[in-house]
Amino acid sequence: MTLSLAPADLRPLTALRFIAAAWVVLYTFWPNLDVGFLPNLAAKGYLGVELFFVLSGFILSHVYLQAAGEGGFKYGSFLWARLARVYPLHLMTLLGVMALGLAATAAGMAIDGSVLSWESLPANLLLLHAWGLAPEAGWNHPSWSISAEWFAYLCFPAFAFVTWRLRERPWLAVLGAAVMLLGLYAAFQLMAGFPLTQATIRWGALRIVPCFALGCTLYLVHRSGGVPRPALAAAVFGALIVASSSLMLWDGITVLLAGGLILSLGSVSNARAGILASAPAVYLGEISYSIYMICAPWQILAVNLAARATGAEDKKLQLFVWLPVIAAIPIAAAVTYHLVERPARKALRDMAERRNQRRTEQKSQAQLA
């Protein structure tokens, strides 16, 4: 097998995270723009979450698959690292929505009645609200996907077990994952009456499974050498994603194209990735989780304030008002990234390292005794 020579940090894929987050932002905020129409590309912005899910399977396999396959995987440490990555910002945004919701209610501002869903609070705090365990969608609603991610993290050993055993037949693994994805999408829509790609708190844990599996198997292709002419392939897949979304093709097609884009960009060397490997693009990718997680709180705060200031009772903002609201999102995300996400992640990981160091010292002392 020819192993990929792509760099370990995969900077273009970090930048791709920002593109996925921006797609979700467009989907979330377009209804607040007073233009009277909804472009198909914006209407399909919920698929940015699918892009995240596929990318998550790919990246976690990139980091952990070999250790899992060769017996060096530490499940507890893995889960702690993932929890340190996602939970502090989840908790902060949940509390932020709580504060904004209570303040908006006190000020007489109109908010969705389900935002302060006290019955759903325990499931949200425990990251179980995408497992069908929350009575309704509430609080920071986009965090349902973090609950789905948590489900995938818990199940990662099972994904890794299957993926590792198919490492010598990567394209067969991808074909199997693609067939599973398309079959599950078709069966779910037939039984539920709506696409799995639009499921959130009821079926979010199921929604991530085919995407995460696809990402894991795509990593096998990357590991075996990637794709030829990856920069050209990435450009083609990117254009096809825009076309399929604009033409409102079946979501399954777009998700498979997103997988092709991830595989192609993962095969592009940092030296040849151009703007996608630049420091600004990588930084935006690093704060993409914050961008995604502050969407709902920022919509509650900024849109309500802008609507009041301009007299837009229907919360439909003029373009010259809407654009600054959107442009401020990366700025707000940078603040939460540097004040909450990054330091909290470091603190929790340092805590784990100190605990491991104490255990090592205790074992050494016991052996000397």
Side-chain angles (χ1 to χ4, degrees):
M1 177 181 291
T2 302
L3 296 182
S4 172
L5 297 178
D9 57 350
L10 303 178
R11 292 169 67 90
L13 292 184
T14 301
L16 182 61
R17 289 169 49 194
F18 170 72
I19 297 173
W23 200 9
V24 174
V25 168
L26 184 66
Y27 168 75
T28 303
F29 282 84
W30 190 275
N32 297 119
L33 178 60
D34 189 13
V35 291
F37 68 94
L38 176 62
N40 290 340
L41 185 62
K44 287 287 188 177
Y46 58 85
L47 291 177
V49 176
E50 264 63 32
L51 202 161
F52 272 121
F53 287 165
V54 178
L55 187 56
S56 180
F58 187 98
I59 293 298
L60 289 183
S61 295
H62 177 65
V63 177
Y64 295 105
L65 180 62
Q66 185 165 345
E70 295 178 349
F73 180 68
K74 297 180 179 179
Y75 187 49
S77 298
F78 166 78
L79 289 181
W80 183 261
R82 302 323 300 162
L83 195 67
R85 174 74 176 86
V86 302
Y87 195 78
L89 189 59
H90 163 65
L91 181 61
M92 189 277 291
T93 54
L94 186 152
L95 295 176
V97 168
M98 183 186 296
L100 289 172
L102 292 173
T105 301
M109 295 182 179
I111 63 170
D112 191 316
S114 66
V115 169
L116 299 177
S117 174
W118 300 104
E119 297 84 359
S120 301
L121 183 59
N124 277 263
L125 288 172
L126 295 172
L127 285 178
L128 302 176
H129 51 300
W131 301 19
L133 299 177
E136 62 180 336
W139 306 103
N140 186 20
H141 180 56
S143 71
W144 72 264
S145 64
I146 308 309
S147 172
E149 285 273 0
W150 182 240
F151 177 81
Y153 299 158
L154 291 172
C155 298
F156 181 73
F159 285 103
F161 178 85
V162 175
T163 304
W164 183 251
R165 276 149 186 79
L166 292 170
R167 64 189 182 279
E168 300 298 335
R169 293 173 287 181
W171 285 111
L172 178 63
V174 171
L175 177 61
V179 169
M180 181 186 74
L181 182 145
L182 297 177
L184 183 57
Y185 280 8
F188 184 89
Q189 185 156 4
L190 183 64
M191 291 186 292
F194 65 93
L196 181 58
T197 50
Q198 294 182 21
T200 55
I201 64 164
R202 295 291 180 224
W203 295 97
L206 178 63
R207 179 174 170 179
I208 194 175
V209 169
C211 297
F212 196 87
L214 178 63
C216 292
T217 58
L218 286 169
Y219 171 70
L220 293 180
V221 178
H222 167 80
R223 185 176 182 273
S224 67
V227 298
R229 305 187 68 182
L232 176 60
V236 170
F237 277 116
L240 289 175
I241 290 171
V242 173
S244 66
S245 301
S246 300
L247 294 173
M248 299 296 283
L249 299 183
W250 187 37
D251 287 349
I253 296 173
T254 307
V255 174
L256 292 182
L257 292 172
L261 176 62
I262 290 168
L263 175 60
S264 300
L265 285 178
S267 302
V268 177
S269 67
N270 291 339
R272 297 178 63 85
I275 191 173
L276 290 179
S278 66
V282 172
Y283 178 75
L284 288 172
E286 289 174 350
I287 67 171
S288 61
Y289 177 51
S290 285
I291 290 174
Y292 176 78
M293 289 294 284
I294 69 167
C295 270
W298 187 250
Q299 192 174 36
I300 293 173
L301 177 63
V303 171
N304 272 291
L305 290 177
R308 277 207 164 191
T310 58
E313 296 182 359
D314 57 357
K315 299 182 184 178
K316 297 285 187 179
L317 307 178
Q318 296 297 316
L319 181 62
F320 68 90
V321 178
W322 184 82
L323 283 176
V325 169
I326 299 300
I329 293 175
I331 300 173
V335 172
T336 59
Y337 174 76
H338 287 287
L339 294 184
V340 178
E341 181 185 348
R342 188 176 179 180
R345 181 171 70 226
K346 184 178 185 303
L348 290 174
R349 289 186 173 180
D350 288 347
M351 183 188 306
E353 289 180 3
R354 288 194 297 271
R355 181 187 60 194
N356 292 335
Q357 185 175 2
R358 284 196 301 270
R359 287 179 177 176
T360 301
E361 292 173 353
Q362 290 171 355
K363 287 182 180 179
S364 298
Q365 291 173 358
Q367 291 173 351
L368 294 174

